[in-house]
Amino acid sequence: MSWFSRNTSRRTGQHSYTEVTRKGFGSKLSGSVGGMFAGFLLFLGSFAVLWFNEGRAVKTAKGLEEGLSQYKEIDIYNIDDSNNDELVYAYGETSSDEILFDEEFGIEINTLRLKRKVEMYQWKEFSKTRKEKKIGGAEETITDYTYKKVWSDQLINSNDFKLWEDHQNPSGMDYANYEISAANIGFGEFTLEDNVVTYFNNYKGLPLSDLDKTDYMNAKIITEKDADATSGNSLQKLFFGYGSNQNPQIGDYKISFQYVENGDYSILAKQNRDKFEVFETSTGSTILMVEDGKVSAKKMFEIAQSNNTILTWAMRVGGLVMMYMGIMMMFGIVTTIANIIPILGTLVNLGTGLFAGIISFTLSLITIAFAWIFYRPVLGIIILICAVAIILFFYKKSLDKKQA
């Protein structure tokens, strides 16, 4: 029986590497003891996440209902000071004569926002891990590392690679991502500031063919599909380097430029004289929404409610997973001992997983129910009844098995 841990590794090809870590029974047992405490903290934390999420969801939903019932539609060409501090809906066209510059590449354009995206061709490390149980309680962790060339807008540090000597990236990027917004944007008689402009994300690809190529040194202009170009499937880019777009070399660059032009926007926010700010509802939630084009206030509230529902369910699942993992970690020592005989460990792990799943699902429902009783009593009581019914169902099942 091995009580110690050891590592082995081997090169399995020019662009692949395998590392094997072996943990003896003693190492796994001590790790399981530590995992019990970490699992208990994770278990407790799941209750906090679930409770907070339900409170946030209800406050946001009520705040949106409140906003829908009291917003005022305004004329952006006629500022009415009686609407100060009120939630207002405004629709109209932006106007800005400001020229935005990307001086490094000699670009100047009258627009609301301008950004430069830089991608460099680099090595990237991928890993895939699997575990193998050994008789006596030991366990081997096999990690396979593979290396591929990718375009990335972030510098990948190849010094951290397992097989770094054959996969070296440049130590830095010669060009950086860049973004700038107009400082003075008109909206009828109103002025839009950064808190609103930051929501203008309907970027278009900036055509490069007609611009002065001398500003780009010896770059080639290429056209390719790009998910960031929201208004189309293709985007013109500058290509720098020793390779070509079809056969790039490590350290080559692709640089694209995108902009947001003047256009129609719909805004829901608090009016403060000739500006818009975040509106705080009586529940403590906030409202500041911007949509491209003409979107009714009612539709904007529907979108916000839908987003709130999606976030609520995502956090519910997150809290449930936290609770499940916490329970599994608390019972990890049982699985570790059972793994002395691998097939027994597998059976115990399946049983523990089923138990953790039932308990975490039931406790999550109860937590959500109590939170809703606190925030919305009627629905909370219904959820609590469902949770109790689940507990009684499994309890009756266990009694039936004992009697059989």
Side-chain angles (χ1 to χ4, degrees):
M1 182 180 297
S2 173
W3 287 84
F4 304 99
S5 299
R6 61 183 176 85
N7 295 341
T8 60
S9 58
R10 64 183 183 274
R11 185 194 294 260
T12 53
Q14 183 179 359
H15 302 308
S16 58
Y17 180 85
T18 298
E19 183 177 66
V20 181
T21 301
R22 182 182 178 89
K23 278 189 176 182
F25 178 74
S27 297
K28 287 203 66 186
L29 192 63
S30 61
S32 297
V33 173
M36 288 176 61
F37 293 103
F40 181 68
L41 293 176
L42 195 62
F43 179 73
L44 291 180
S46 66
F47 289 99
V49 169
L50 290 169
W51 185 275
F52 165 80
N53 179 49
E54 297 308 315
R56 180 209 58 78
V58 172
K59 287 179 180 179
T60 301
K62 286 185 175 180
L64 291 171
E65 290 169 4
E66 176 186 316
L68 178 60
S69 68
Q70 70 179 47
Y71 79 89
K72 296 180 179 180
E73 187 167 346
I74 63 171
D75 179 2
I76 64 172
Y77 295 99
N78 181 24
I79 297 178
D80 185 350
D81 288 336
S82 66
N83 291 325
N84 284 340
D85 297 326
E86 299 287 340
L87 178 64
V88 299
Y89 166 79
Y91 165 75
E93 185 178 6
T94 60
S95 60
S96 174
D97 296 327
E98 187 172 347
I99 304 297
L100 300 185
F101 296 90
D102 184 336
E103 295 182 357
E104 188 168 6
F105 289 90
I107 291 176
E108 53 184 81
I109 181 174
N110 168 221
T111 191
L112 303 182
R113 304 186 76 185
L114 174 67
K115 72 175 180 179
R116 174 210 308 163
K117 181 180 178 181
V118 178
E119 301 169 272
M120 184 167 71
Y121 202 54
Q122 304 172 71
W123 284 107
K124 185 173 182 179
E125 181 180 76
F126 297 86
S127 63
K128 187 175 182 180
T129 299
R130 63 187 187 277
K131 295 181 183 291
E132 293 182 0
K133 298 173 184 176
K134 304 296 181 181
I135 295 177
E139 181 181 75
E140 283 188 351
T141 301
I142 301 99
T143 305
D144 296 317
Y145 297 92
T146 55
Y147 300 85
K148 296 181 180 179
K149 298 174 183 178
V150 299
W151 288 102
S152 174
D153 61 353
Q154 301 292 327
L155 180 66
I156 301 174
N157 185 3
S158 57
N159 293 331
D160 296 332
F161 291 172
K162 292 292 182 180
L163 205 61
W164 59 269
E165 60 271 18
D166 295 329
H167 308 94
Q168 294 186 15
N169 290 326
S171 58
M173 297 180 71
D174 296 331
Y175 308 99
N177 294 322
Y178 171 78
E179 187 167 351
I180 187 173
S181 299
N184 185 22
I185 299 176
F187 191 63
E189 295 298 318
F190 288 83
T191 300
L192 302 183
E193 297 184 325
D194 285 344
N195 62 332
V196 174
V197 178
T198 189
Y199 288 95
F200 293 175
N201 292 313
N202 50 325
Y203 281 97
K204 294 183 177 182
L206 180 66
L208 302 177
S209 304
D210 298 332
L211 299 179
D212 189 352
K213 296 181 182 180
T214 59
D215 291 326
Y216 311 138
M217 294 156 274
N218 295 316
K220 303 171 185 175
I221 296 178
I222 61 174
T223 302
E224 63 181 21
K225 292 184 178 179
D226 195 304
D228 288 340
T230 55
S231 62
N233 295 323
S234 63
L235 189 64
Q236 287 190 326
K237 301 182 179 182
L238 300 177
F239 183 93
F240 295 91
Y242 296 100
S244 64
N245 189 37
Q246 292 73 29
N247 185 29
Q249 304 298 312
I250 295 297
D252 288 354
Y253 290 93
K254 288 193 299 189
I255 302 176
S256 59
F257 305 88
Q258 297 173 59
Y259 70 103
V260 177
E261 62 184 352
N262 283 300
D264 295 337
Y265 292 91
S266 302
I267 299 174
L268 268 168
K270 181 178 79 173
Q271 179 178 324
N272 182 8
R273 300 182 187 278
D274 65 339
K275 295 179 175 58
F276 297 108
E277 297 178 351
V278 172
F279 178 82
E280 185 171 341
T281 69
S282 61
T283 66
S285 62
T286 58
I287 297 176
L288 198 166
M289 291 181 265
V290 180
E291 292 289 341
D292 175 31
K294 188 168 186 178
V295 180
S296 69
K298 183 179 179 181
K299 182 64 176 178
M300 292 175 73
F301 278 110
E302 288 176 356
I303 293 171
Q305 288 284 20
S306 176
N307 291 337
N308 182 43
T309 300
I310 293 171
L311 177 59
T312 299
W313 277 103
M315 292 188 67
R316 283 172 181 165
V317 172
L320 174 64
V321 171
M322 282 179 63
M323 190 176 293
Y324 175 82
M325 292 177 62
I327 295 173
M328 290 294 289
M329 291 170 69
M330 286 191 288
F331 283 89
I333 191 169
V334 177
T335 306
T336 298
I337 295 173
N339 275 331
I340 292 176
I341 303 175
I343 190 170
L344 178 61
T346 299
L347 293 174
V348 170
N349 191 54
L350 288 173
T352 303
L354 179 62
F355 170 79
I358 294 172
I359 295 299
S360 57
F361 181 75
T362 305
L363 289 180
S364 294
L365 270 183
I366 292 174
T367 304
I368 292 171
F370 275 112
W372 276 65
I373 287 174
F374 184 79
Y375 294 108
R376 283 188 174 178
V378 175
L379 289 175
I381 292 172
I382 293 173
I383 297 174
L384 183 59
I385 291 172
C386 292
V388 172
I390 292 173
I391 295 174
L392 292 176
F393 173 79
F394 284 105
Y395 178 71
K396 186 177 182 302
K397 283 284 187 182
S398 63
L399 287 180
D400 293 342
K401 285 184 179 180
K402 288 180 180 180
Q403 292 174 359

